[in-house]
Amino acid sequence: MKIQEVILKAMAGKLKWWEAAEIIGVTDRTMRRWREKYAEHGYSGLWDHRKRSPSPKRVPVEDFAAGVAAVPGTILRFQRAAFS
């Protein structure tokens, strides 16, 4: 069963909210938050808006490399898995 189906069944009263939380695998508190967002904004209110754009704290690779090169004796070590 998809998460949307579980939430819709809980909204219709066919499932209790704690049962829906168990099915989805989230805590009761998370399910209460989702229920409030759903009631206020509909299904689109459940969208996680934090993942829409990259973090503004990111540093471009060129700037990072230039900063590391400016520090004498700095050795960069990369894990092979990061480039696979």
Side-chain angles (χ1 to χ4, degrees), residues 1-2 10 15 38 43 47 57-58 69 77:
M1 191 177 319
K2 293 183 179 182
L15 281 176
Y38 185 88
Y43 193 74
W47 178 260
K57 297 179 183 178
R58 285 189 173 183
R77 296 186 180 157

Side-chain angles (χ1 to χ4, degrees), residues 27-74:
T27 64
D28 292 343
R29 182 177 180 170
T30 298
M31 186 55 74
R32 283 193 305 270
R33 289 177 179 168
W34 288 0
R35 178 180 61 195
E36 291 168 5
K37 287 182 180 182
Y38 185 88
E40 189 175 338
H41 303 288
Y43 193 74
S44 63
L46 300 177
W47 178 260
D48 187 0
H49 298 283
R50 295 175 301 171
K51 298 180 181 178
R52 285 189 145 176
S53 60
S55 170
K57 297 179 183 178
R58 285 189 173 183
V59 176
V61 175
E62 297 81 20
D63 293 347
F64 175 75
V68 169
V71 178
T74 303

Side-chain angles (χ1 to χ4, degrees), residues 2-40:
K2 293 183 179 182
I3 293 175
Q4 180 179 9
E5 294 171 352
V6 174
I7 292 173
L8 291 176
K9 284 186 178 186
M11 290 297 290
K14 296 178 182 177
L15 281 176
K16 296 185 188 286
W17 284 102
W18 64 268
E19 292 173 329
E22 282 186 6
I23 292 170
I24 295 173
V26 297
T27 64
D28 292 343
R29 182 177 180 170
T30 298
M31 186 55 74
R32 283 193 305 270
R33 289 177 179 168
W34 288 0
R35 178 180 61 195
E36 291 168 5
K37 287 182 180 182
Y38 185 88
E40 189 175 338

